[in-house]
Amino acid sequence: MSTTKKSYTLTQLVASIKKVLNRTYGEQSYWVTGELVKLNMKGGHYYLELADSVNGINTAQMKATIWRTQVLALQQNLGEEFRQLLQPGNRLLFRVTVTFHEIYGLSLTILDLDPAFTYGEIELKKKQTIERLQREGLLNVQKQMRLPLIMKKIVLVGSPDTSGYRDFLTELKQNRIFTNFVIQEIPTTVQGDKAVTEICAALLEADNYAADAIVLIRGGGSKMDLNVFNDYEICRTIAQLHLPLLTGIGHETDEVVADLVAHTKHITPTAVAKFLYIRVGTFRSDLQTGLDRILTQALSSLASATEQFTNTNKFLTHYFQNIITDYRSDLQAKLHRIEVGTNEILAEQRALLDLSLEKSVVAAGHCLHIVQTIELPAILEKMVLRSTNLIEIQRLELLNLQEKVAVLNPLKLLKVGYTISSIANTDLSQYKGEFIGQELQTLTDQFTVYSTITKIQK
Amino acid sequence: MERQLTYEEALSELQGIVKKLENKEVKIDELASTVARANQLVEYCQSKLQQTEAEIQKIVKKG
Amino acid sequence: MERQLTYEEALSELQGIVKKLENKEVKIDELASTVARANQLVEYCQSKLQQTEAEIQKIVKKG
Amino acid sequence: MERQLTYEEALSELQGIVKKLENKEVKIDELASTVARANQLVEYCQSKLQQTEAEIQKIVKKG
Amino acid sequence: MERQLTYEEALSELQGIVKKLENKEVKIDELASTVARANQLVEYCQSKLQQTEAEIQKIVKKG
Amino acid sequence: MERQLTYEEALSELQGIVKKLENKEVKIDELASTVARANQLVEYCQSKLQQTEAEIQKIVKKG
Amino acid sequence: MERQLTYEEALSELQGIVKKLENKEVKIDELASTVARANQLVEYCQSKLQQTEAEIQKIVKKG
């Protein structure tokens, strides 16, 4: 290719870049947000590594420097917070100038820091941690654990140097309710670079004990101080513990994520201690109340059962008296019936006797009457009848005889002209002898004719 | 009439007369007296009957 | 009347008389006396009855 | 009255008498004595009843 | 009274007597003795009742 | 009293007896023994109650 | 007392007893033993609470 190429020295180019940068950015300063990735200190100067990312992917990275004089000024302005803010991982709002150095290249010089932004960032991060824990199903794991009724064996995780730690121990051992706790202490740093790692280790260690609960305490501090308890690693460790965790992180306004993950949170270490012994106290009073109720109820049951019997005897007396009374009246009734029955029998017999006598007399009278009025008169009448009859028969007989005499009287025939003939005083019809020559006597009314029979004609 | 004659005797004599008359055993010359005797006997008997009847009536009425 | 005669004997005699009458065994000559006897028997019986009745009345009244 | 006679026997005899009387099986001659017997039996029975009643009264009153 | 007789037996016998009396099945000759028996049974029952009552009173009072 | 009898059994038996008494199902002959048994049951139950109360009181005093 | 009984179990049992008693589900026969059991439960818990434990044992985790 062609040899006549226009070229610059590196110095020329770098000088030109610097000139352009200076002309563009000059001495102007800018408020810039970014994450503190790394921090080194050397000779009172702070050397920072800043980065920015979108969706977790780095989009920019740059070195920054806080010069010693500026460090001192910021430390004076922000106090303790300065150190808290300059924790790697924090997002910060800086006022910077763009600096280009021919040898060291492009960097930012930090002139100022706005902590308010970082707090907002902390809150944002806290929210993200909570969301992550929620996503991973870790947020409520502890809450689902059953808190033992009595937590007598406690593993205490915290920094022994802090007043909160001491307050906790004092409260547990010097209250009037219950002090017989057994405490296994696991000291740990609660601030600084190593805090997260140490706290996680301490918690895992605590989880190895056959205790009732783990208590995590931190006796208060600034927002930035407590920010460590928003750490995801710590929270995940808490969620994965076997023992329930009680927190007493010691802040009054906002809670940290560790509080949310823990089984139970209390505001202060003292509050945790109170919770522990009051729980025992409550349990004891529950026991006592239960026993009291049992005793009261048992005695009341007995009393009502006993009362039942005070009446039972009365009932027994009443009922048996009723029965006896019934039987007595039954006997009286029977006696009465016997009397009535007897009287009836006697009355009946009396009536029967009277009737018998009356019947006898009546029958006798009847007999007499019949004989007197019917039989005897009948006999008499019959007799008269028969007698009369007899006389009448005789009368007829006489009449008959009289008639016969009248009929047979021959003198009557003579009167009317008839005659009677006889031979030797024998009627002709009776005469058996020789007629011829005999003298025939013929009687008439006036006289007797004598003649001799000469001839018989038959 | 003999006062000693009973009703039976009178009746019996009467019946004897009737029989004799029927048998024509009465002699012509006794005929009239026989009939008269019969009539006398009839009367006697009748009075005896009457007398008896009266006596009975008397007894019964009194009873 | 014989005092010893019972009512039954009297009645029996009476009935004998009635029977005789019915059988016409009584002669006319005895008729009146027979009836008189019968009447006497009836009277005796009636007095006996009266006597019995009185006795019974006496018993009952006393009772 | 025979002392040995029970009430039932006496009553039975009495009822026999009543029956006989009602059936006219008693002769007139025995009528008065029969009624007298009946009366005697009635009286006997009544005294028995009275005696029984008195006994019962005594028993019941005591009770 | 037989010592072995229970109240129920006595009562049952008594009821038998009452029934017999009401049905007039008791002869007069046995009436007094029957009533006497009934009275005896009643008295026996009453004494049993009294005895029972006393026993129970004793038991209940003691209780 | 049978040692094996529980309070409930005793009470149940007692209630049975009371019911029987109430319904007059107990014969006189058994009345005294029934009431005695009831009384015995009452005493048994009461002693059981007393005993139970004493036991409970002991716990109460100690508590 | 069973060594394994937890505070929760003891309290729950105790409260179960309370409920049963208040619902009158405990028979008189079981009353004393039930109360004794309740007392035993309370005593057991109290003594368990007062018991001194030197230190908390570390458990060897199986991983």
Side-chain angles (χ1 to χ4, degrees):
Chain A
M1 307 283 249
S2 166
T3 52
T4 57
K5 290 177 181 159
K6 180 166 175 57
S7 65
Y8 306 93
T9 65
L10 185 63
T11 308
Q12 286 177 315
L13 181 65
V14 168
S16 169
I17 292 170
K18 188 174 179 174
K19 199 171 148 192
V20 171
L21 283 172
N22 274 340
R23 197 170 52 229
T24 309
Y25 299 98
E27 290 306 309
Q28 241 183 307
S29 65
Y30 306 92
W31 283 99
V32 172
T33 62
E35 186 183 332
L36 177 60
V37 178
K38 221 165 143 188
L39 177 67
N40 285 311
M41 283 176 280
K42 204 173 178 181
H45 310 295
Y46 280 52
Y47 300 100
L48 300 81
E49 190 81 41
L50 298 176
D52 201 6
S53 60
V54 173
N55 300 327
I57 296 160
N58 269 5
T59 50
Q61 187 153 0
M62 199 176 268
K63 291 178 178 23
T65 312
I66 308 173
W67 302 113
R68 202 164 64 113
T69 51
Q70 209 58 42
V71 168
L72 290 171
L74 284 171
Q75 276 178 340
Q76 202 167 357
N77 274 346
L78 300 170
E80 181 63 14
E81 265 182 35
F82 175 71
R83 197 178 52 80
Q84 292 288 331
L85 285 168
L86 292 184
Q87 295 287 330
N90 281 357
R91 279 184 67 82
L92 300 167
L93 177 61
F94 314 97
R95 189 162 66 84
V96 297
T97 55
V98 179
T99 308
F100 187 82
H101 188 275
E102 292 82 346
I103 288 162
Y104 300 111
L106 197 64
S107 74
L108 302 173
T109 301
I110 294 171
L111 303 174
D112 202 354
L113 257 173
D114 184 352
F117 171 79
T118 307
Y119 292 151
E121 284 301 306
I122 287 170
E123 283 306 312
L124 183 67
K125 189 139 181 236
K126 201 169 121 184
K127 198 181 153 207
Q128 286 166 349
T129 306
I130 290 167
E131 280 167 2
R132 183 173 172 192
L133 288 167
Q134 178 99 55
R135 239 184 357 262
E136 292 172 359
L138 297 172
L139 195 61
N140 290 315
V141 173
Q142 272 275 332
K143 298 253 179 337
Q144 282 156 10
M145 268 186 208
R146 245 177 59 79
L147 199 62
L149 193 56
I150 298 301
M151 287 167 285
K152 192 178 156 194
K153 291 183 264 184
I154 307 291
V155 185
L156 177 61
V157 176
S159 171
D161 297 335
T162 60
S163 63
Y165 194 94
R166 283 190 297 276
D167 289 348
F168 177 79
L169 290 176
T170 306
E171 189 68 29
L172 273 194
K173 286 177 179 160
Q174 288 179 8
N175 69 80
R176 292 170 162 221
I177 292 170
F178 186 73
T179 55
N180 191 23
F181 290 101
V182 186
I183 303 155
Q184 176 67 48
E185 298 179 48
I186 299 180
T188 177
T189 314
V190 289
Q191 58 185 25
D193 299 342
K194 296 173 183 166
V196 170
T197 324
E198 277 197 31
I199 287 169
C200 285
L203 286 172
L204 291 171
E205 164 75 9
D207 206 30
N208 285 334
Y209 285 93
D212 298 316
I214 299 168
V215 175
L216 175 63
I217 52 172
R218 163 78 168 89
S222 70
K223 203 175 183 77
M224 291 307 296
D225 281 342
L226 300 181
N227 193 31
V228 69
F229 293 104
N230 290 322
D231 186 81
Y232 168 76
E233 285 303 324
I234 289 177
C235 290
R236 197 186 64 181
T237 305
I238 289 171
Q240 289 169 345
L241 291 174
H242 299 94
L243 292 173
L245 182 96
L246 311 179
T247 57
I249 308 287
H251 49 85
E252 309 229 333
T253 49
D254 301 314
E255 55 189 359
V256 292
V257 182
D259 282 335
L260 295 176
V261 179
H263 186 286
T264 305
K265 62 130 185 167
H266 287 280
I267 293 167
T268 61
T270 309
V272 179
K274 273 194 175 129
F275 172 72
L276 290 173
Y277 67 70
I278 283 171
R279 207 165 155 88
V280 175
T282 305
F283 173 69
R284 275 177 164 166
S285 87
D286 281 354
L287 284 181
Q288 198 51 54
T289 307
L291 187 59
D292 287 349
R293 279 168 76 181
I294 285 166
L295 291 170
T296 306
Q297 194 58 50
L299 289 174
S300 133
S301 289
L302 285 173
S304 66
T306 304
E307 197 178 351
Q308 211 177 349
F309 290 107
T310 59
N311 289 328
T312 305
N313 262 347
K314 265 188 233 158
F315 283 134
L316 286 177
T317 309
H318 177 69
Y319 293 141
F320 97 76
Q321 282 291 9
N322 271 358
I323 291 174
I324 299 252
T325 305
D326 276 8
Y327 274 97
R328 282 221 167 96
S329 61
D330 180 48
L331 285 180
Q332 282 308 317
K334 287 206 167 57
L335 211 49
H336 181 67
R337 281 164 73 184
I338 287 168
E339 217 173 331
V340 168
T342 307
N343 285 339
E344 275 176 14
I345 289 174
L346 290 172
E348 198 175 68
Q349 289 298 320
R350 286 207 166 99
L352 182 66
L353 290 176
D354 286 348
L355 187 67
S356 294
L357 188 58
E358 198 185 322
K359 271 182 172 171
S360 297
V361 173
V362 168
H366 195 58
C367 274
L368 289 172
H369 185 72
I370 286 173
V371 170
Q372 210 164 15
T373 61
I374 298 169
E375 273 179 24
L376 286 178
I379 288 170
L380 202 55
E381 198 181 337
K382 218 171 175 182
M383 202 172 58
V384 172
L385 205 66
R386 296 292 171 228
S387 302
T388 312
N389 199 16
L390 218 55
I391 288 168
E392 283 308 314
I393 288 168
Q394 287 303 316
R395 277 207 173 104
L396 286 174
E397 174 75 7
L398 283 178
L399 220 58
N400 185 34
L401 288 172
Q402 199 176 14
E403 267 174 36
K404 272 187 179 165
V405 170
V407 170
L408 292 172
N409 187 0
L411 298 177
K412 245 181 191 171
L413 296 172
L414 297 181
K415 266 182 185 143
V416 294
Y418 291 98
T419 61
I420 302 165
S421 297
S422 62
I423 301 172
N425 273 340
T426 303
D427 196 88
L428 268 185
S429 57
Q430 309 288 319
Y431 185 74
K432 309 284 192 230
E434 186 56 49
F435 283 91
I436 308 293
Q438 291 292 328
E439 188 188 53
L440 181 74
Q441 290 175 312
T442 303
L443 190 66
T444 72
D445 189 38
Q446 302 297 324
F447 45 79
T448 306
V449 180
Y450 296 90
S451 54
T452 303
I453 302 165
T454 57
K455 193 174 145 188
I456 296 290
Q457 197 174 4
K458 282 192 184 170
Chain B
M1 179 69 47
E2 309 87 314
R3 280 293 115 186
Q4 303 86 332
L5 207 60
T6 67
Y7 177 87
E8 298 302 321
E9 288 163 348
L11 187 65
S12 167
E13 192 184 336
L14 183 60
Q15 284 168 333
I17 289 169
V18 170
K19 200 159 196 172
K20 269 184 169 173
L21 281 172
E22 280 174 337
N23 293 343
K24 298 185 169 70
E25 285 166 11
V26 183
K27 293 180 178 166
I28 297 296
D29 46 4
E30 290 165 10
L31 204 57
S33 66
T34 298
V35 167
R37 175 65 181 171
N39 281 329
Q40 198 181 20
L41 283 167
V42 165
E43 270 171 30
Y44 174 72
C45 279
Q46 275 175 332
S47 83
K48 267 259 172 188
L49 284 178
Q50 210 149 7
Q51 186 185 328
T52 301
E53 195 174 20
E55 270 181 64
I56 290 168
Q57 286 300 337
K58 215 171 77 190
I59 290 159
V60 171
K61 289 243 166 77
K62 198 185 72 192
Chain C
M1 180 67 49
E2 311 84 314
R3 278 297 112 189
Q4 304 84 332
L5 209 60
T6 68
Y7 176 88
E8 297 303 320
E9 288 164 349
L11 187 65
S12 162
E13 191 183 336
L14 197 55
Q15 281 166 337
I17 288 169
V18 172
K19 197 158 200 173
K20 266 184 164 179
L21 281 172
E22 276 176 334
N23 294 344
K24 303 179 173 84
E25 287 166 12
V26 181
K27 295 182 175 171
I28 293 297
D29 297 307
E30 295 159 7
L31 194 58
S33 69
T34 298
V35 170
R37 172 66 182 169
N39 193 57
Q40 198 179 25
L41 284 167
V42 166
E43 278 175 4
Y44 174 70
C45 279
Q46 272 173 337
S47 83
K48 268 256 169 188
L49 288 175
Q50 246 153 3
Q51 188 185 326
T52 300
E53 196 173 11
E55 273 181 61
I56 290 169
Q57 286 300 337
K58 213 169 76 189
I59 289 161
V60 172
K61 291 239 166 81
K62 197 186 72 193
Chain D
M1 179 69 46
E2 311 83 313
R3 278 299 113 188
Q4 305 84 330
L5 210 60
T6 66
Y7 178 89
E8 299 301 322
E9 288 165 351
L11 187 65
S12 161
E13 191 183 335
L14 179 62
Q15 284 168 335
I17 288 171
V18 171
K19 196 159 203 175
K20 265 184 160 179
L21 280 169
E22 284 180 335
N23 294 344
K24 308 194 165 51
E25 289 165 11
V26 181
K27 295 184 176 171
I28 295 296
D29 295 308
E30 295 161 7
L31 205 56
S33 67
T34 300
V35 172
R37 174 67 180 168
N39 192 57
Q40 197 180 23
L41 286 167
V42 166
E43 280 174 3
Y44 174 69
C45 283
Q46 277 172 336
S47 82
K48 271 252 168 189
L49 287 179
Q50 213 147 7
Q51 188 185 327
T52 301
E53 194 174 20
E55 273 181 60
I56 290 168
Q57 287 297 339
K58 217 169 72 187
I59 290 161
V60 173
K61 290 249 164 71
K62 199 186 69 191
Chain E
M1 181 68 48
E2 312 82 314
R3 276 301 113 188
Q4 306 85 328
L5 210 61
T6 66
Y7 184 90
E8 300 302 324
E9 289 165 349
L11 192 64
S12 161
E13 191 183 335
L14 187 59
Q15 275 167 337
I17 289 172
V18 170
K19 198 160 202 174
K20 265 185 163 181
L21 279 171
E22 285 181 335
N23 294 344
K24 302 182 171 113
E25 288 165 9
V26 181
K27 294 183 177 172
I28 295 294
D29 295 308
E30 296 159 8
L31 197 59
S33 67
T34 299
V35 171
R37 173 66 180 168
N39 196 57
Q40 199 180 23
L41 287 166
V42 167
E43 279 173 6
Y44 175 68
C45 284
Q46 277 172 337
S47 83
K48 269 250 168 188
L49 285 179
Q50 211 148 7
Q51 188 185 327
T52 301
E53 195 174 20
E55 271 182 60
I56 293 170
Q57 288 293 354
K58 218 169 71 187
I59 290 161
V60 172
K61 289 247 166 72
K62 199 186 69 193
Chain F
M1 179 71 46
E2 312 83 314
R3 277 299 116 189
Q4 306 84 326
L5 209 62
T6 67
Y7 175 87
E8 300 299 326
E9 288 164 349
L11 188 64
S12 160
E13 190 183 337
L14 183 62
Q15 282 165 339
I17 289 172
V18 170
K19 194 156 204 174
K20 266 186 164 180
L21 281 171
E22 206 176 359
N23 296 344
K24 293 167 183 155
E25 288 166 10
V26 182
K27 295 182 177 173
I28 290 294
D29 295 309
E30 297 159 6
L31 196 60
S33 67
T34 300
V35 171
R37 173 68 179 166
N39 196 57
Q40 200 179 22
L41 287 166
V42 166
E43 280 174 6
Y44 176 68
C45 284
Q46 279 174 334
S47 84
K48 271 249 168 189
L49 288 176
Q50 253 156 0
Q51 189 184 326
T52 303
E53 193 174 10
E55 280 180 53
I56 292 169
Q57 288 295 351
K58 219 167 72 187
I59 290 163
V60 170
K61 294 235 166 85
K62 204 182 64 189
Chain G
M1 180 68 50
E2 313 83 315
R3 281 295 115 190
Q4 302 88 327
L5 208 62
T6 65
Y7 294 107
E8 279 90 343
E9 288 164 347
L11 187 62
S12 159
E13 191 180 336
L14 188 67
Q15 283 166 339
I17 291 171
V18 171
K19 197 159 202 173
K20 264 186 161 180
L21 274 172
E22 286 180 337
N23 293 345
K24 318 232 165 349
E25 289 165 12
V26 180
K27 294 181 178 173
I28 294 292
D29 294 308
E30 297 159 4
L31 204 59
S33 67
T34 300
V35 170
R37 171 69 181 169
N39 193 54
Q40 199 181 21
L41 286 167
V42 170
E43 280 177 359
Y44 169 70
C45 287
Q46 297 286 10
S47 81
K48 199 175 172 189
L49 283 172
Q50 287 314 121
Q51 201 179 311
T52 316
E53 276 143 310
E55 57 181 23
I56 305 170
Q57 293 296 319
K58 207 159 180 177
I59 43 171
V60 182
K61 276 200 189 156
K62 275 187 208 159

